[in-house]
Every structure is written in C-alpha cells, then in structure tokens.
C-alpha cells in the first residue's frame, strides 16, 4: 500500500478528519460539513459564483490578506516596543538585524493591498446590486469592515515613528480636532483642547508617547478583535442570507 | 344591554394581574441593565480622557526686547517651544508678540520664508503675513498669539498656556503683546 | 542630454526592455487567440502592436530606451492642472459611459490597454515620472489604477451584455450558470490557487521594494510636503476647497452614513445579483461619480501631482521646492458687500455678547446663508415636482429627503471646486468668529 494511502487510513488521520477522502460525492459533501474552516462555505453553490469575472475573488483575497496581516503582525510584535525611545530603533532592527527581515514589508504591502481589495470588493457588490434585499444588513457590516480596514491601516501608520508617520497622524488627528461639537477647533465646539475627541484619541494635545501607545493598542488588539468579530458575522450572514447573490 | 368587554374581564383575572406585574418587573430589570451599561460606557469613555498630560513646561524666557529690532522674526524658539517671536506692525502700531508656529489649518509647523516675508505651511500651502494674519491657502484663521510680558528682571516671558485669537478680537488684549 | 538623465536611462534600460517585451508577448497571445477565432484582421492588428513593442524592447535592450518627445511631455504638463484634470476626467468618463456599447468590445478595451501601456513605458524613461511611480508607497497605487480600470471595464462589459439580453427578453448571463456545483473541489481549489498567487505576489513585492522609513519623528520639523496615508490623500486634496471640519470629519461621516443607508434608500428591486447598468442608471452614475471623481481621482492627484508646498506639478515636471502658487481667495460676503454693493462689510463687534455677535455675523453672511437655504431646501422642493417626481413617489418622503440631502451634500464638493476655479471663491459662509466656514 502506498505511504499516502497508509497515512490516510491511519487512526490519527481518521480521528482528525473522520471520513474518507473527498473523492466521491457523499464525501465531498461531508468534507465541507465536518471541517470547521471549510464550514464557512455552503456544500453547494450556483455555478456563476465560481466565475472570476463575477466575483473578482476580491472578498476572499481581502480575508486572506487579513490573515496574512495577523500572522506577520504578531511576529513583528515580538520585536517592537511602542515607546518614543525604542520604536524607530526597533524598525531599523527589523530591517537590518533580524533574519528574513522582510516581515515589515509583507505587513505594509499586505495592508496597502487589503485596502485596495476591500474597496474593489465593495465596488463589485455595488455593481451587481448584491446589497439589495435580503442582504442589506450584510452590506452595512461590510461598510463597517471597510472603515475598520482604513482605521487599522491608519493606526499602524504611526507605529514606525518616523517623520512620515508622525506628520500623517498629526494632520489626521487635527481633522478630528476640527470636528463640529466634539472638536475644540470645530464649529459649535463646547470642549477645550484638553477634553475634545482629538485629546481622547491621542491621550495628549499633540502626537507623542501617549498617542503611540494608544495607536499601538488600537492597532494590535482593539481593532483586530472588532474586525474579526464583524468578519465572522459577515461570513455567517452570507450563508444565512441565501449564499452568494445571483439573479432571482 | 351594556356588556363589559372581554379584555376588561380578562385583565381582572389573577393570571393577568400576575403577568402584568411580571412584565413590569422585566421592564424594570432591563431599564436597570440599560442604566448600568450606560454608566459603564460613560465611565469607560471618561477613563480614556487622561487627567494628567506629560508635557514640557509652558512658560519660557526669551531675552530682552532689544534683541528684536523692528521687522524681525525670531526662529530660535521654534524647535523647543513652537513659538515665533515677531516684532511687526499690527493695525499701524509696532508690537512685539509670540505667535504659534502651528498652522491653523491642520497643525503642520509653518516655515519662515525671509525672501517673501511670510510664514508658509508645507501641508497645504497656507500663507501668513509676518503679523500672523492668513492671506492665502486654506488656513481659516490667523496664527494665535501666546501671552507675552516683560518680567520684573527686564526679560521677555512667554506663557504658552494662554492663547489670543485675532478673530475673537483678543489681540487688543495688552497681555498679548509688548508695545514696541 | 544631461548626465543624470543618461544615468537614469542606463539604469532603467533592462527594466524597460522587459516591460516592452512583456507587452509584446501579451499582444502575440491576443493575436493568436484572435487568429484561432478566425478574426484575421484583428489578429494582424495585435501582431502589429507586438512588433512595435518588440522594437521598443530591442531599443531599450540596446541601451537607448525610446522616450516621449520633449514637446509631448511639455504639452501634457502644460494641460494638466486640478481643474483640467477634474473636468477632463469627467468628460472622459461621460464619453465612456455614453459609448459603453462600443468601449466594452474586447478589441477596443485591449487597444486602450495597449495605448496606456505604451504611454507608461515611454514615460518611464523620464526620470521624474519614473521616480514618481517607482516610489515604494506609490507602487500599489499604480497597480490600483490598472486593477480598477480593468474591473470597471469588465463589469461594464458584463452589464452591457446583460442589458442587451434583457432588452431581447432573455435573462442575464448569470442565470445560465444557475446549476449547482459542489464547493469541494470547485470553489476550494479556486481559493487555494488565489491564496498561492497572492502569497507569491506579496513575497516578490516585499523582496523587491523596501518599506519606506524616513528620519525619526521630529515634532517641530514638518516635512515638505507632508502627506496623509494614500487612502486619505483624496480627503487631503479636497481640503484645499473646504474646511477641515467639513472635509476632514463631516464628509467621512457622510460617506459612511451614505454607504450604510444605500440599501435602505434603494427601492428598485431590479438589478439584484447580476451586472447591469440600464436597470439602475441613475444610481450607477451617482455612485461611480462619487467613487471615481471624488474619491479615486483626488487620491491620484494628491499622490502623484502634489509636491512641495502642496503645489501642483505635472507628470514630468521636476519638484521645485520654490514653486508656489499664489491664490488669494474671496468669500461670498466680500463679493456681495464690497464688490456688489460697493460698501464695506458689516463688522462684528468682538466685545458684544455671543448672541449679538452671532446675529451680526449672520447679517454679514446673509447672501451665503440665502444661497445655502435655496440649495438645501428650495432645490429639493423644486426637484420633487419636476425631475424626481416619479422617484419621489416611489421612495416616499423619508427616503426622498435623506437621499436628496446626501446627494446635495456630495455635490457641494464639485460645486465648491468649480467656484474656486472660476470665481476664486473661498467660502460661501465665512464666520471665523465661530470657527464656522463653509
């Protein structure tokens, strides 16, 4: 018996997958039903959903890029300290000192790509009218996920603590400071520069150590958790709303 | 003949009264839950607003007025304190005052261009006259002044904790300039 | 030829040779495909294009990369400007939309792709252009332009096909693929291949381009120019035309709200689950105008064409830090009182009470407030009885007013741009006393 078959008939393999290999119809159904990750999918789907010219594969790629960002991000966290003293230094170390020092590149370019694919996914869903009933609420979740993608990218932008990041975030946070009502420089403002939304965001009046820590926590913990929750909801709703959209 | 409607009768039964009490209790419970959740959210939001900010001292000495001849724009306090000290005419009178270096548009640090005699913002190209009044680009307001005074030792003292805004008519305040 | 241009040419020559050769190969493939489909004339055209690209590749390989004539570059730069770019793009998109049946024909699409690749390749020989598109943070945006162009085209292609079928009384193409297939293996393998390709692309990209790292952060030195992350550069570009409270905060909130509200405002049951334009023309136009003209185009301008001091630069124009556009702008109330009535603007007494000051400022800004009232109240009331009569009936009152509000707010941006370019109008309502400029 070939080695591959012996592995697939071993007790260990069977205990993990619990059914014969998916080479015939019953087992191809089973493999989707019994596997946690594959279970995101339905068992069967209309054929037009397979055509790349219909889906552009953008939603799936966006999710994959999120996973790439999680993995590379966790690895980067092993070397990065979010303090003014060390942040920039650790960036240099990540480039010059560690082995296989392209993780920061993968993380950054993956983030750029994810913003693009999320936007294009939204464009596709709009152009095919897939937001229409019964999928209205899933579109809402998708819009929130797009906003979260931008926020994740923006909070990560500060972490290298170089001129590019510091001033991009200064400009961005001052826009928040100009918000009506809740910004101290906005119309109808009823707050000061020590109680407005920008102060809450930065933890200070200007971009400094407090802001670096806040953005770090938002980038590495708060926003990814929220995004993961909304993604779970998004995928679950695709199934519950009747699978991939198609002509009625 | 007058008949008592059914629903009135049913309301009078023991079960109806009990279920009504139960509904009220449930309503009260959810209201309490909402109140606690609201308080908790408000407390968390307040938690995110720091009470103490670690910032450098907001008051500094800037030498004697003799160091600033008319028309002079002093750049040496830009780096550490974010302040231009300017000796310039405002409404026809010479004044010595301290301007913030941060553009009123989005807070980028302006640059002093001696050749054109203007402050220029690198972010969106806003321009300010030496007296701080905006004249080009998207900046909506003049640069704010900081409090300035002659201390008892004859040195200029700038206090960055007080600002004076031209558009609110605060540049007439004698604390915002030293007559030059 | 100056020495640094010569040096640049020798450096990009191998890259350009590969680029032109790839374009040539693409055309050979297209020609072969057309030949097998018995479209002989088309096949010959692609073969011709392949030969042209091959010639360019050989030229580049020989160390003499062909480039655009200086006249053409100067001409392009002279024409480029914020206003011409906006209006030109609008005109181009209008033509593409009206002629979509012609432009979605695959040969036309491929010809357009060839033209853009030719222009791109020739431009790469220019050191300024090359430094613009090869900057690590700009590379994904170049990729986005092509990706966006392609997906918009292929969506329009399918929409036109579906609309043609619908007009002939048949259902959309998607309906002919309604049969059910099993997810394993069909979909799972597509996903697997996509994951492998994306990973490979990401790793190659990361090996080739280092993530940028500039000088350590310095709180008192602002780099010139200072740019937001690219996806917010569109907003930063629009900041030229409106205040931070509006563009920086209200507009993003409105975009978010508008997108969320979209499925609840749309009462048209047609066009659900397949590509179509005819079944949703008005919505398609509004969405694409907002996305392409107010989101993507400002991003491109902010990324590629804004330089030091946020001055506008052409594609081939060296970034001169001294270049500065003087633009003195005038508010509507200045136009009204000083230019129209020939008298000074009413003053606001800075020492008066808050309500009195507010009243004085509102009196001064009366013309602008009247314009805004007409725009936001009278215009929707008028449109309700004329242009949007049927839409208003279909949508109901609540949906109509929300949709009109969002539409009018969206249109404030291009209108403010036009007013700036034509009248140098800075604000319609300007009350700096209350931090309120619009």
């Amino acid at each position: 018996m070939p080695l591959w078959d012996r592995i697939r008939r071993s007790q260990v393999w069977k205990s993990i997958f619990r059914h014969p290999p998916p080479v015939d119809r019953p087992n191809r159904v089973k493999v989707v039903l019994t596997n946690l990750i594959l279970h995101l999918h339905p068992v069967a789907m209309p054929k037009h959903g397979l055509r790349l010219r219909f889906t552009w594969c953008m939603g799936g790629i966006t999710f994959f890029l999120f996973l790439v960002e999680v993995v590379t991000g966790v690895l980067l966290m092993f070397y990065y300290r979010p303090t003014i003293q060390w942040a920039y230094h650790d960036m240099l170390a990540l480039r010059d000192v560690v082995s296989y020092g392209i993780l920061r590149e993968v993380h950054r370019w993956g983030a750029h790509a994810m913003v693009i694919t999320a936007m294009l996914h939204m464009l596709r869903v709009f152009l095919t009218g897939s937001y229409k009933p019964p999928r209205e609420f899933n579109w809402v979740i998708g819009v929130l996920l797009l906003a979260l993608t931008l926020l994740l990218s923006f909070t990560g932008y500060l972490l290298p603590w170089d001129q590019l990041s510091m001033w991009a975030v200064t400009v961005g946070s001052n826009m928040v400071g100009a918000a009506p009502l809740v910004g101290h420089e906005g119309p109808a403002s009823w707050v000061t520069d020590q109680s407005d939304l920008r102060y809450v965001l930065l933890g200070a009046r200007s971009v400094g150590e407090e802001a670096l820590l806040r953005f770090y926590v938002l980038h590495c913990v708060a926003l990814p958790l929220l995004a993961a929750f909304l993604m779970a909801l998004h995928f679950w709703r695709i199934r519950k709303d009747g699978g991939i959209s198609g002509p009625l | 003949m007058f008949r008592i409607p059914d629903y009135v009768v049913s309301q009078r039964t023991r079960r109806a009264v009990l279920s009504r009490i139960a509904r009220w209790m449930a309503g009260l419970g959810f209201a309490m839950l909402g109140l606690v959740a609201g308080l908790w959210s408000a407390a968390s939001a307040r938690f995110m607003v720091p009470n103490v900010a670690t910032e450098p001292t907001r008051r500094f000495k800037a030498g004697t007025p003799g160091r600033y001849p008319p028309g002079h724009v002093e750049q040496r306090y830009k780096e550490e304190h974010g302040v231009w000290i300017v000796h310039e005419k405002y409404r026809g009178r010479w004044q010595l005052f301290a301007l913030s270096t941060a553009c009123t548009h989005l807070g980028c640090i302006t640059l002093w261009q001696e050749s054109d005699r203007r402050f220029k913002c690198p972010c969106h190209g806003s321009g300010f006259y030496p007296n701080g009044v905006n004249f080009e680009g998207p900046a909506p307001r003049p640069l704010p002044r900081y409090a300035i005074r002659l201390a008892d030792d004859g040195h200029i003292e700038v206090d960055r904790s007080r600002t004076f805004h031209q558009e609110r008519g605060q540049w007439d305040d004698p604390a915002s300039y030293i007559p030059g | 030829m100056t020495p640094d241009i010569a040096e640049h040419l020798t450096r990009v020559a191998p890259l350009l040779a590969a680029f032109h050769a790839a374009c040539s190969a693409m055309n050979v493939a297209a020609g072969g495909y057309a030949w097998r489909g018995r479209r002989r004339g088309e096949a010959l055209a692609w073969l011709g294009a392949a030969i042209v690209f091959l010639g360019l590749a050989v030229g580049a390989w020989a160390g003499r990369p062909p480039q655009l004539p200086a006249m053409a570059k100067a001409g392009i730069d002279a024409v480029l400007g914020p206003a011409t770019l906006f209006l030109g793009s609008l005109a181009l998109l209008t033509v593409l939309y009206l002629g979509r049946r012609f432009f979605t024909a695959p040969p036309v699409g491929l010809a357009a792709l060839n033209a853009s690749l030719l222009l791109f390749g020739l431009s790469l020989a220019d050191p300024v252009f090359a430094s613009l598109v090869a900057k690590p943070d700009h590379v994904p945006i170049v990729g986005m332009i092509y990706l966006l162009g392609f997906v918009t085209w292929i969506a329009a292609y399918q929409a036109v096909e579906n609309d043609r079928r619908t007009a002939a009384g048949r259902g959309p193409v998607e309906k002919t693929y309604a049969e059910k297939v099993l997810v394993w293996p069909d979909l799972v393998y597509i996903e697997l291949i996509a994951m492998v390709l994306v990973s490979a692309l990401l790793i190659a990209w990361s090996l080739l381009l280092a993530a940028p790292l500039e000088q350590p952060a310095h709180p008192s030195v602002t780099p010139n120019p200072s740019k937001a992350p690219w996806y917010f550069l569109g907003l930063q570009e629009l900041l030229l035309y409106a205040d931070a409270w509006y563009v920086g905060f209200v507009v993003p909130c409105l975009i978010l709200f508008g997108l969320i509200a979209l499925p609840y405002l749309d009462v048209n049951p047609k066009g659900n689950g397949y590509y179509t334009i005819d079944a949703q023309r008005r919505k398609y136009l509004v969405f694409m105008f907002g996305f392409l003209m107010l989101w993507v185009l400002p991003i491109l301008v902010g990324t590629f064409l804004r330089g030091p001091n946020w001055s506008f630069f052409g594609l081939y124009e060296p970034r001169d830090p001294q270049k500065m556009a003087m633009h003195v702008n005038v508010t509507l109330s200045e136009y009204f009182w000083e230019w129209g009535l020939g008298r000074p603007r009413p003053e606001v007494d800075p020492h008066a009470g808050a309500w009195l000051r507010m009243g004085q400022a509102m009196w001064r800004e009366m013309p602008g407030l009247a314009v805004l009232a007409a725009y936001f109240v009278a215009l929707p009331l008028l449109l309700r009885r004329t242009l949007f009569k049927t839409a208003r009936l279909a949508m109901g009152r609540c949906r109509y007013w929300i949709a009109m509000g969002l539409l009018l707010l969206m249109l404030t941006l291009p209108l403010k741009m036009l007013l700036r370019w034509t009248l140098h109008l800075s604000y319609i309502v300007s009350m700096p006393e209350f931090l309120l400029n619009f």
Side-chain angles (χ1 to χ4, degrees):
Chain A
M1 203 190 302
L3 180 65
W4 178 232
D5 282 354
R6 283 178 68 169
I7 293 173
R8 293 224 282 203
R9 280 164 203 200
S10 68
Q11 189 186 356
V12 175
W13 182 277
K14 280 180 185 165
S15 76
I16 297 172
F17 296 105
R18 298 206 299 203
H19 59 81
V23 289
D24 50 4
R25 196 176 162 90
N27 284 312
R28 284 177 172 171
V29 172
K30 256 191 214 163
V31 70
V32 175
L33 289 177
T34 58
N35 183 304
L36 174 73
I37 294 167
L38 290 179
H39 190 56
L40 286 173
H41 301 110
V43 169
M45 60 183 290
K47 204 172 175 187
H48 78 265
L50 293 177
R51 308 176 84 212
L52 282 182
R53 65 168 62 178
F54 183 78
T55 64
W56 311 345
C57 209
M58 280 302 158
I61 290 177
T62 307
F63 179 49
F64 177 64
L65 285 171
F66 178 77
L67 297 179
V68 170
E69 294 300 290
V70 169
V71 172
T72 53
V74 167
L75 288 172
L76 288 171
M77 281 170 78
F78 283 110
Y79 280 99
Y80 175 79
R81 285 162 283 189
T83 62
I84 290 182
Q85 192 188 352
W86 287 108
Y88 186 78
H89 176 271
D90 290 343
M91 283 294 133
L92 294 175
L94 278 167
R95 188 182 67 192
D96 302 330
V97 181
V98 302
S99 301
Y100 304 110
I102 61 161
L103 276 180
R104 200 186 138 225
E105 273 75 13
V106 177
H107 196 71
R108 188 181 185 98
W109 303 141
H112 281 342
M114 189 176 158
V115 172
I116 294 173
T117 55
M119 281 188 335
L120 293 183
H121 176 58
M122 191 191 74
L123 181 66
R124 195 284 288 178
V125 171
F126 171 79
L127 288 174
T128 54
S130 305
Y131 59 87
K132 296 190 183 198
R135 298 184 180 80
E136 307 103 308
F137 189 63
N138 217 11
W139 163 270
V140 173
I141 298 168
V143 172
L144 296 179
L145 277 169
L146 178 66
L148 269 180
T149 307
L150 293 181
L151 283 179
L152 271 166
S153 186
F154 183 65
T155 48
Y157 212 77
L158 182 64
L159 303 186
W161 201 248
D162 63 348
Q163 282 286 69
L164 198 65
S165 59
M166 167 156 200
W167 287 98
V169 173
T170 300
V171 170
S173 63
N174 279 323
M175 287 191 206
V176 175
L181 297 173
V182 289
H184 76 282
E185 281 189 323
S189 162
W190 52 277
V191 286
T192 68
D193 64 352
Q194 284 211 63
S195 58
D196 70 343
L197 196 58
R198 187 188 66 167
Y199 191 70
V200 177
L201 190 69
L202 299 182
R205 270 182 292 225
S206 54
V207 178
E209 179 118 357
E210 299 88 350
L212 184 56
L213 182 60
R214 279 181 186 222
F215 274 50
Y216 177 74
V217 174
L218 284 173
H219 184 74
C220 301
V221 185
L223 296 178
L225 279 179
L226 191 59
F229 171 72
L230 286 181
M231 270 181 226
L233 200 57
H234 198 59
F235 303 152
W236 185 73
R237 290 288 307 218
I238 296 174
R239 299 283 310 277
K240 294 295 152 184
D241 292 339
I244 187 162
S245 64
L248 302 169
Chain B
M1 207 181 97
F2 180 71
R3 266 188 71 217
I4 298 170
D6 285 347
Y7 62 88
V8 176
V9 176
S10 67
Q11 271 187 3
R12 284 192 187 144
T13 62
R14 201 172 124 90
R15 180 180 294 175
V17 170
L18 277 177
S19 88
R20 207 169 163 171
I21 291 174
R23 275 205 299 272
W24 271 100
M25 295 294 281
L28 197 68
F30 278 113
M32 294 298 286
L33 193 67
L35 188 71
V36 171
L39 282 175
W40 178 246
S41 308
S44 306
R46 180 65 189 80
F47 172 80
M48 290 302 288
V49 187
N51 290 327
V52 180
T54 49
E55 286 184 342
T57 168
R58 320 212 77 201
R59 209 177 273 225
F60 67 95
K61 288 275 174 75
T64 55
R67 261 179 44 195
Y68 309 102
H72 184 73
V73 173
E74 179 57 59
Q75 304 186 54
R76 78 168 73 175
Y77 300 106
K78 176 191 177 191
E79 183 90 351
E80 193 181 346
H81 300 287
V83 168
W84 308 110
I85 294 185
V86 183
H87 195 174
E88 195 44 60
K89 258 188 182 166
Y90 176 65
R91 289 198 179 159
R93 275 188 227 139
W94 287 101
Q95 297 179 341
L96 191 61
F97 47 84
L99 289 175
S100 160
T101 56
C103 177
T104 51
H105 185 222
L106 286 174
C108 297
I109 303 300
T110 51
L111 306 163
W112 170 245
Q113 294 177 335
E114 185 65 50
S115 53
D116 301 309
R117 289 197 62 75
R118 63 175 166 188
F119 301 107
K120 190 77 182 171
C121 177
C123 286
H124 293 91
S126 297
F128 302 84
Y129 292 122
N131 64 15
V133 174
N134 54 316
F135 69 97
E136 62 169 351
R141 295 179 295 280
L143 299 171
R145 287 182 185 180
Y146 291 121
I148 191 170
R149 70 184 187 102
L150 267 185
D152 297 337
D153 58 359
H155 282 66
I156 298 170
E157 189 183 76
V158 177
D159 179 6
R160 291 197 303 134
S161 60
R162 283 179 72 195
T163 50
F164 298 88
H165 296 267
Q166 190 260 0
E167 72 278 5
R168 297 181 207 161
Q170 291 167 339
W171 283 10
D172 301 331
D173 190 324
S176 74
Y177 62 91
I178 297 172
Chain C
M1 207 191 290
T2 56
D4 53 324
I5 292 184
E7 194 197 323
H8 169 75
L9 285 182
T10 47
R11 207 170 50 227
V12 294
L15 183 82
L16 274 175
F19 177 84
H20 289 307
C23 292
S24 180
M26 181 188 81
N27 276 298
V28 169
Y33 186 74
W35 189 268
R36 274 180 49 196
R38 302 192 176 279
R39 300 189 303 275
R40 298 282 149 85
E42 203 192 312
L44 287 177
W46 303 141
L47 212 58
I51 291 168
V52 171
F53 275 118
L54 198 63
L56 296 175
V58 171
W61 189 249
R64 297 182 58 108
Q67 46 182 322
L68 281 179
M71 280 272 285
K73 290 199 258 186
I76 291 174
D77 279 356
V79 172
L80 282 183
T84 52
L85 206 54
F86 184 85
L87 298 174
S89 305
L90 191 59
L92 178 69
L93 287 177
T94 310
V95 169
L96 289 177
Y97 171 77
L98 292 175
R100 59 186 181 275
R101 278 173 197 83
F102 170 73
F103 289 110
T104 52
V108 180
L110 189 57
L113 179 65
N114 268 326
S116 81
L117 289 174
L118 182 68
L119 194 64
F120 187 75
L122 292 179
S123 297
L124 271 179
D126 182 87
V128 175
F129 184 89
S131 71
L132 272 186
V133 297
K135 201 174 166 203
D137 264 341
H138 291 180
V139 169
I141 306 166
V142 177
M144 184 184 73
I145 297 175
Y146 276 95
L147 203 55
L148 189 60
F150 177 69
V151 296
T152 313
W153 180 84
I154 200 156
Y157 169 80
Q158 295 176 85
V160 165
E161 194 183 357
N162 281 342
D163 291 341
R164 201 178 284 139
R165 291 171 63 102
T166 311
R170 293 179 297 164
V173 179
E174 282 84 350
K175 221 165 190 168
T176 59
Y177 289 86
E179 94 188 76
K180 290 259 184 173
V181 290
L182 286 181
V183 160
W184 184 294
D186 289 9
L187 179 65
V188 176
Y189 274 58
I190 290 176
E191 288 174 347
L192 188 70
I193 294 166
M195 282 195 276
V196 170
L197 289 181
V198 171
S199 309
L201 177 79
L202 212 50
I203 290 170
W205 184 1
S206 304
L207 285 171
L208 287 173
L209 285 180
L213 190 65
E214 299 194 355
Q215 293 297 306
H218 199 309
S220 64
V221 180
T222 307
N224 187 5
S226 206
K227 293 191 177 183
W230 66 267
Y231 36 83
F232 290 146
L233 271 183
L235 292 174
Q236 196 178 353
E237 169 69 16
L238 292 175
L239 273 173
L240 280 184
Y241 305 104
D243 255 21
W245 70 270
Y246 188 63
V247 171
F249 193 84
V250 174
V251 167
C253 291
L254 284 172
I255 296 173
L256 213 55
F257 175 77
L259 285 174
I260 285 175
L262 171 69
Y264 304 100
L265 297 175
D266 183 3
V267 290
N268 178 6
K270 277 188 271 179
N272 187 343
Y274 58 95
Y275 287 98
T276 175
I277 292 176
D278 283 351
Q280 45 178 7
R281 263 189 222 127
R282 226 177 257 172
K283 199 166 59 246
Y284 180 84
L285 285 177
V286 171
F287 188 91
M288 290 312 249
F289 177 79
F291 182 61
L292 295 177
M293 296 299 299
L294 298 180
W295 182 257
V296 176
L297 183 69
I299 285 179
L300 300 183
V301 173
T303 307
F304 294 113
L305 302 175
R306 291 289 177 181
N309 307 314
W310 209 253
S311 298
F312 190 93
F313 290 87
L315 281 170
Y316 313 102
E317 187 181 350
R319 267 50 186 165
D320 173 14
Q322 299 301 322
K323 175 171 175 176
M324 239 168 288
M326 287 289 280
H327 34 80
V328 177
N329 297 316
V330 186
T331 66
L332 185 63
S333 61
E334 281 167 342
Y335 267 121
F336 178 78
W337 294 103
E338 289 165 16
W339 191 77
L341 298 183
R343 48 188 270 199
R345 290 197 303 169
E347 296 240 342
V348 173
D349 178 9
H351 304 294
W355 290 107
L356 187 58
R357 276 190 296 139
M358 179 59 105
Q360 286 172 333
M362 284 175 77
W363 168 244
R364 187 188 65 203
E365 300 302 327
M366 180 193 56
L369 293 172
V371 168
L372 289 187
Y375 181 72
F376 282 112
V377 182
L379 192 58
L381 284 172
L382 184 72
L383 288 173
R384 187 177 64 164
R385 289 169 198 286
T386 52
L387 193 58
F388 292 146
K389 199 168 177 182
T390 46
R392 160 71 183 80
L393 285 175
M395 294 169 85
R397 181 182 295 152
C398 183
R399 284 199 185 91
Y400 173 77
W401 280 97
I402 293 177
M404 275 311 283
L406 287 168
L407 184 67
L408 290 175
L409 282 163
M410 178 172 121
L411 290 178
T412 54
L413 293 170
L415 286 176
K416 283 210 71 171
M417 286 151 91
L418 283 176
L419 289 174
R420 177 69 57 86
W421 295 326
T422 51
L423 301 175
H424 298 285
L425 190 78
S426 58
Y427 298 118
I428 295 166
V429 170
S430 167
M431 299 192 209
E433 301 88 354
F434 298 94
L435 306 169
L436 181 72
N437 289 313
F438 184 78

